[in-house]
Amino acid sequence: RPQGYQTHAFAVFCSPIYKKNQDVTKTWRGKTEQLLRVDDHDFTMRPAFGGPAIPVGVDVQVESLDSISEVDMDFTMTLYLRHYWRDERLSFPSTTNKSMTFDGRLVKKIWVPDVFFVHSKRSFIHDTTTDNIMLRVFPDGHVLYSMRITVTAMCNMDFSHFPLDSQTCSLELESYAYTDEDLMLYWKNGNESLKTDEKISLSQFLIQKFHTTSRLAFYSSTGWYNRLYINFTLRRHIFFFLLQTYFPATLMVMLSWVSFWIDRRAVPARVSLGITTVLTMSTIITGVNASMPRVSYIKAVDIYLWVSFVFVFLSVLEYAAVNYLTTVQERKERKLRERFPCTCGISHSKTMMLDGNYSESDANSLAGYTRNQMVPEEEKQEKMVVHLAMSNASNSSRKRGLKGHVGLRIIQNTHAIDKYSRLIFPGTYIFFNLIYWSVFS
């Protein structure tokens, strides 16, 4: 055969091979655009524009509750937000009735609901490693639109029972542009529309309940809008605050009571103990308030800490009273010694029994003195007259009543103040704790 004929035959034989190796993605792309007819419609308008409101179902799967901030009064949540609606402009013929799934690139070309988060401070769609957006289109025009979002929203908290409180926060969803006459937003499956991950946990809170609600929201300038609510109730864990706040405050109050068992003449010991407990209580109060918002009402923890602070402060004042009365008593005794310098042969420590500071056994110990230590009988009689006169004066004042008798005894014997404080302070503080925990727990 001629050489040219062979070349022509080879070319005809090889031409089908080049056609089979064409890029099939370009061919399928043309078919997809032809099926969805994206370029044949104006997707700036909602489906069935001019007709009844288009229903858009919503369901949510909460992935995590990232943080709860008492200072900023907000919470951060990561969730999967899904929308369901029907757009006949996206319907396509299919023999297998299978859906087609797309990523976020097609979302920019079609109409999607303009749902936003009311009272949101910050929010974003995750984009690692690509935009976390999924679009699934069914042959009859039904659309599933899913996004993975992290949102930080406001939560109005009431701290009147803090830290024995429960907080209820809500994440609110609403259409930004379309009123209820154009778009009807609803929970697709009622309470079943909200799913939560079983592993969700918070360090300071116990998640008690998740539930959904819906209502209409009115804006004076634009009208009525459908609003969906994701409500969740949180119960605060108390154990952390017991260790960090309540136990230290209680121990400081109990430590201040130790001064009641220290000798009243040990001024440095009792004063340093009282000042230390007062400063420690001030530090605890400052630390608690530093991590809390500056609210204008009193919190439960404030009541406990300030009452504890008052108990500590009163223990310091108690020693101030004891020290003052002791000084007054010693001054009176000094004046008596200057007025009557004769001690009748008895040391000053033994004569103090006549002022009521020593027991009867101390008085009987005077029997151990020898005769040469005793004074003459005439001087002894003169001192007895003086002491009898003082005794008669004190007896006449005691006849004024039982209440005056007790008060005079406490003033004259400053040891009684410490003795009564050992009972009054713990008893009152225990009574306060019973009332506090029964009211706030």
Side-chain angles (χ1 to χ4, degrees):
R1 297 176 180 174
Q3 186 176 359
Y5 174 79
Q6 294 178 355
T7 303
H8 176 72
F10 177 77
V12 173
F13 178 76
C14 293
S15 59
I17 297 178
Y18 289 115
K19 290 182 180 179
K20 289 183 180 179
N21 291 336
Q22 290 180 355
D23 190 355
V24 295
T25 58
K26 294 182 179 180
T27 305
W28 177 248
R29 180 180 178 184
K31 291 183 179 180
T32 302
E33 293 178 351
Q34 182 178 0
L35 285 176
L36 294 181
R37 303 190 302 276
V38 174
D39 297 331
D40 296 342
H41 300 282
D42 183 10
F43 283 97
T44 60
M45 313 296 290
R46 69 172 179 86
F49 180 79
I54 174 175
V56 176
V58 175
D59 68 29
V60 171
Q61 181 174 348
V62 179
E63 181 180 359
S64 65
L65 268 174
D66 301 323
S67 65
I68 306 291
S69 176
E70 291 87 356
V71 177
D72 299 327
M73 286 195 181
D74 59 22
F75 65 93
T76 302
M77 176 186 294
T78 300
L79 52 89
Y80 295 93
L81 178 61
R82 305 184 184 97
H83 306 81
Y84 302 85
W85 74 94
R86 184 183 181 189
D87 191 345
E88 295 181 354
R89 296 171 294 185
L90 296 177
S91 60
F92 60 91
S94 175
T95 57
T96 59
N97 198 29
K98 290 183 178 180
S99 62
M100 291 189 297
T101 301
F102 306 93
D103 57 17
R105 287 172 289 187
L106 183 62
V107 174
K108 300 177 181 179
K109 298 181 180 181
I110 65 172
W111 181 91
V112 293
D114 59 340
V115 175
F116 78 106
F117 297 102
V118 185
H119 306 307
S120 171
K121 296 182 178 180
R122 297 174 298 275
S123 60
F124 62 92
I125 299 175
H126 290 260
D127 56 0
T128 305
T129 57
T130 184
D131 291 341
N132 294 176
I133 297 176
M134 185 268 289
L135 188 71
R136 184 170 295 168
V137 182
F138 294 85
D140 57 355
H142 281 89
V143 181
L144 165 60
Y145 176 44
S146 177
M147 299 175 290
R148 183 169 176 257
I149 303 175
T150 294
V151 55
T152 300
M154 182 180 65
C155 178
N156 293 322
M157 301 182 185
D158 182 14
F159 297 107
S160 58
H161 285 68
F162 176 87
L164 305 169
D165 59 333
S166 296
Q167 302 294 341
T168 299
C169 300
S170 298
L171 183 62
E172 306 172 14
L173 295 85
E174 183 181 305
S175 172
Y176 191 84
Y178 297 101
T179 64
D180 60 339
E181 296 179 355
D182 291 323
L183 189 146
M184 184 180 67
L185 208 62
Y186 69 97
W187 290 111
K188 187 174 184 297
N189 298 313
N191 285 330
E192 299 297 326
S193 302
L194 180 62
K195 304 293 185 181
T196 58
D197 194 335
E198 296 180 356
K199 298 180 180 179
I200 294 180
S201 62
L202 294 170
S203 59
Q204 292 190 23
F205 291 93
L206 172 65
I207 303 176
Q208 291 185 323
K209 182 174 61 174
F210 269 99
H211 66 282
T212 61
T213 56
S214 61
R215 65 187 67 173
L216 290 175
F218 177 73
Y219 298 90
S220 58
S221 300
T222 54
W224 294 89
Y225 295 81
N226 295 110
R227 183 177 294 182
L228 306 182
Y229 296 81
I230 302 174
N231 305 309
F232 55 95
T233 303
L234 304 174
R235 177 75 177 179
R236 194 182 304 273
H237 293 300
I238 187 60
F239 189 72
F240 171 80
F241 296 94
L242 288 177
L243 292 178
Q244 300 295 325
T245 304
Y246 286 96
F247 283 167
T250 303
L251 291 177
M252 286 301 104
V253 175
M254 297 175 65
L255 184 61
S256 67
W257 300 339
V258 175
S259 64
F260 302 151
W261 277 265
I262 300 177
D263 187 4
R264 58 178 176 169
R265 297 176 182 83
V267 177
R270 295 189 66 163
V271 170
S272 61
L273 180 60
I275 296 301
T276 302
T277 53
V278 169
L279 293 178
T280 305
M281 284 300 306
S282 300
T283 303
I284 295 175
I285 294 174
T286 303
V288 172
N289 291 329
S291 60
M292 294 296 299
R294 298 178 180 179
V295 295
S296 58
Y297 49 85
I298 298 177
K299 304 181 290 293
V301 67
D302 294 335
I303 296 176
Y304 193 90
L305 292 179
W306 279 105
V307 170
S308 300
F309 182 84
V310 169
F311 271 88
V312 172
F313 187 73
L314 288 178
S315 66
V316 178
L317 294 183
E318 186 271 347
Y319 177 64
V322 169
N323 187 272
Y324 174 75
L325 294 177
T326 301
T327 304
V328 171
Q329 183 179 4
E330 290 178 352
R331 187 182 300 115
K332 290 181 180 180
E333 293 175 355
R334 192 182 307 113
K335 290 181 179 180
L336 286 176
R337 288 196 301 270
E338 292 175 355
R339 185 176 179 182
F340 303 101
C342 179
T343 58
C344 305
I346 305 176
S347 63
H348 173 64
S349 60
K350 295 299 181 180
T351 59
M352 289 181 65
M353 70 176 180
L354 298 174
D355 295 328
N357 289 337
Y358 281 81
S359 62
E360 189 174 352
S361 60
D362 295 329
N364 293 333
S365 64
L366 292 174
Y369 286 91
T370 59
R371 292 184 179 273
N372 57 1
Q373 292 176 323
M374 303 302 291
V375 297
E377 186 68 19
E378 295 178 357
E379 295 182 1
K380 181 177 180 181
Q381 290 178 358
E382 291 177 359
K383 292 300 297 179
M384 290 179 63
V385 171
V386 173
H387 288 296
L388 287 175
M390 295 178 60
S391 177
N392 291 332
S394 61
N395 288 334
S396 61
S397 63
R398 292 174 185 174
K399 294 180 180 179
R400 296 176 182 177
L402 181 60
K403 181 183 293 186
H405 167 71
V406 175
L408 183 62
R409 184 177 180 181
I410 294 177
I411 293 176
Q412 288 182 349
N413 187 358
T414 54
H415 284 291
I417 298 179
D418 284 338
K419 182 177 67 175
Y420 292 146
S421 297
R422 297 169 190 172
L423 299 176
I424 295 175
F425 274 73
T428 307
Y429 194 69
I430 292 173
F431 180 71
F432 160 72
N433 274 271
L434 292 176
I435 296 178
Y436 179 88
W437 294 107
S438 62
V439 171
F440 289 103
S441 62

